[in-house]
Amino acid sequence: VGRVTSASVLRSDGSTDYFGSWQDATEAARRDLVELEYDYGPHLLPVQSQPARGMWRYSGLLPLTSEQIRYPVVVGGTPLVNSVRLQATSGMAHLLVKDETRGPTGSMKDRATALVLEHGLRNGADTVTCASSGNIATSLAVGAAACGIRAVVFVPASVGLAKLTLMLLSKATVFKVTEGYEAAFTLSNRAASHYGWLNRNTGINPMTIEAKKTVGLEIWEQLGHQVPDVVVVPVGDGPTLCGVAKAFRELVACGAATRQPRLIGVQAAGCQPLKVAWETGQLPRATATNTIADGIAVAAPVSAPQVLRDIRQSGGAFVSVTDAEMLEAIRTLAENAGLVAEPAGAAGYAGVGAAVRSGLLDSGERTVVLLTGTGLKIPNALQPVTTAREISASVEDLARELGTDA
Amino acid sequence: VGRVTSASVLRSDGSTDYFGSWQDATEAARRDLVELEYDYGPHLLPVQSQPARGMWRYSGLLPLTSEQIRYPVVVGGTPLVNSVRLQATSGMAHLLVKDETRGPTGSMKDRATALVLEHGLRNGADTVTCASSGNIATSLAVGAAACGIRAVVFVPASVGLAKLTLMLLSKATVFKVTEGYEAAFTLSNRAASHYGWLNRNTGINPMTIEAKKTVGLEIWEQLGHQVPDVVVVPVGDGPTLCGVAKAFRELVACGAATRQPRLIGVQAAGCQPLKVAWETGQLPRATATNTIADGIAVAAPVSAPQVLRDIRQSGGAFVSVTDAEMLEAIRTLAENAGLVAEPAGAAGYAGVGAAVRSGLLDSGERTVVLLTGTGLKIPNALQPVTTAREISASVEDLARELGTDA
């Protein structure tokens, strides 16, 4: 089991504050991301022969004492898809897709939910809260139901019907906040302080980034303890990318790897503050978002300093993709690899093309792209290009439709 | 690797025909279920130390030569959920849920699709077909896309929009058959013969039951090589139940178990021909179905003789559940275990209550219930009982809504 040796907060002015414990750091962080360090070494890595156990396989690098895991939902251990057809279509001979749609609610958020609730179960939490454009609240509602913990979630009034249905089905208390996501985020945090609820909000609870880092650790292990050249990550708020960066940084610190992959962050063209900040050195003022990719439409990302640092340190870059490119990526993933993504989930794959065209990615590089969320929850947004034909039940009619002899 | 030693067809008059190969049997079977036997023994069981590999872990008991698996989608290895809260709610102290919603398209059909397409890939199939009320066609469309095999699927005109969207997104050729499911089934089979397409229809292709049996083998292994007292299975056409029965029969034949579990089949009250046949000895004439559980609404089940035999041999029974009971089961599974089921998927859990009330199941028995399909694909049918409230972003408004002090 890992011992947390340092908890720090990188402030937006570039300074770093250190704290005695991650609880103290979280208390003082407000909206900034708390980062933990451990007593790194090979003793924190999983032993190859031990059974998989999903994300808990990497408990050595998580802030957990050695008690048995109580969280009752299986999370992590998702496939690293090696699709020859997708490689041919993309022209990327060594492209792999980390398929996070296979989580319990079909998104990578399920990892963060699991670690937050594991702490909640150990500490007797009775209520947990978050703000969310959809996937986080769905994940938290379902996970909390499995734990017998009450979830109070705050969503924008525009939240998708299917995701909302799942939250309500799991008996979460759901508030649609008239003023939108940013206001919901502030209200959720204030409610957590006011009522003493467990707070799952990213940038408040350091467990979210710690949990998300397990996706990077899995990639390394699934590649046979190798580091890919590039990892392509959809970026909204940022912690997913920070989690991947931290995974490989810690593998180096543990002596298990000698280098980190280049990280390419992908934003939606209709909401790209981090790409702008990376290009101009200045985070733009938050404006209205204009994209179908609600999962990465974050106008005021909480972890901007860390994301920009991690992209820079990895020698990486940002690209942006249009809604049309994301829809095209959804179709390409489905047609060629049987992978069903939502727009934000497909943004990574769309970004691969954008990065190649911009000269930021070479088609021969061993590239892992994160597919972060399933399309199953938003069927109406998927817009297939073909249609179903209605026929009567005769082989003759079928032959006519197919243009063959009966 | 297992060697198939016998391929037989149990006819509806009670006679059994034997064939030299499963291909010959399939050719002659028409709509009857082909059943395979192997050279049973411990050599067909997985070695405990070998890595999991999903359903391919049980290749020894599948009709496959020892080539490497080509099917590019990870299938099987689903969780056996031990939910203390669900046990308390149901009053079943030793209840476990086999969560088949974690497959690539969220249903147990993904196992059958995988084995059919694995054979297709080995034999150079270019087109595969099926008829389906929804889940099979979705599974086949997505799986075939991953293989680069064309899927031509026949569905009733009433097919759900979300499932249809997934089929089309994966570039399947989809025909809505005006006359409904039974006509679609006949047309799909005729088209397969006419065009020489690979036929994934249940009761035509023996791979479907062979694949589904892996769920039973997993239950046995996840229980630490133990056989549960009872397995509760939603039943439409029947092969899922036959697959589970065959799994435990083969474990006994291999010397790995000394008994089989009792099997309880669950049908929808609005379509229960097998329950009627079990009670009266006579399969009723097919009539219109009247249930929200499209996945088990099969008026003329193809594998009636086998299902009735397997229920009888296991000492089991049939129960039926109403639509209201399935909706209640959906809510109970979500609220207590974070499991999101569709009506047919939740029928098994609903059937646990029905079986206890009928004296067919004792609350102390070690019972595994199959949750066969996800609710993510049919959000509009889930009908949660709570609603979301819209509030403005102030702690005062929140406190008023929660009935607490601000």
Side-chain angles (χ1 to χ4, degrees), chain A residues 242-281:
Chain A
C242 294
V244 171
K246 192 165 193 277
F248 289 101
R249 205 157 59 224
E250 294 188 340
L251 286 170
V252 171
C254 288
T258 55
R259 64 180 180 84
Q260 298 175 36
R262 224 159 68 244
L263 299 176
I264 295 180
V266 184
Q267 294 218 284
C271 180
Q272 46 176 324
L274 290 166
K275 176 166 184 279
V276 170
W278 179 70
E279 287 170 347
T280 66

Side-chain angles (χ1 to χ4, degrees), chain A residues 74 85 102 142 145 148 166 168 171 174-176 178-179 194-195 334-335 338 376 386 389-391 393 404-406, chain B residues 74 85 102 142 145 148 166 171 174-176 178-179 194-195 334-335 338 376 389-391 393 399 404-406:
Chain A
V74 174
R85 282 163 50 73
R102 302 290 286 271
V142 169
L166 293 173
L168 294 173
K171 271 281 185 70
V174 182
F175 289 109
K176 292 183 179 178
T178 313
E179 295 85 348
H194 187 77
Y195 293 109
E335 286 175 26
L376 290 185
T386 56
R389 284 168 279 178
E390 182 154 347
I391 61 169
T404 67
D405 290 336
Chain B
V74 174
R85 282 163 50 73
R102 301 291 285 273
V142 169
L166 292 173
K171 271 279 186 70
V174 181
F175 289 110
K176 291 183 179 177
T178 313
E179 294 85 349
H194 187 76
Y195 293 109
E335 286 175 26
L376 289 185
R389 285 168 278 179
E390 182 154 347
I391 60 168
T404 66
D405 290 337

Side-chain angles (χ1 to χ4, degrees), chain B residues 11-55:
Chain B
R11 302 296 188 183
S12 50
D13 64 5
S15 65
T16 302
D17 295 337
Y18 289 90
F19 299 88
S21 72
W22 65 263
Q23 290 87 346
D24 288 349
T26 304
E27 194 75 31
R30 293 187 306 275
R31 282 187 59 154
D32 294 324
L33 211 66
V34 173
E35 295 184 294
L36 311 183
E37 294 190 16
Y38 299 80
D39 55 330
Y40 297 114
H43 63 292
L44 299 188
L45 299 171
V47 177
Q48 205 163 349
S49 64
Q50 83 188 25
R53 303 173 60 224
M55 63 180 272

Side-chain angles (χ1 to χ4, degrees), chain B residues 15 60 90 107 166 181 209 263 277 289 293 312 352 367 390 395 399:
Chain B
S15 65
S90 64
S107 92
L166 292 173
Y181 173 75
I209 185 171
L263 299 177
T289 63
R312 202 168 44 240
V352 166
T367 303
E390 182 154 347
V395 172

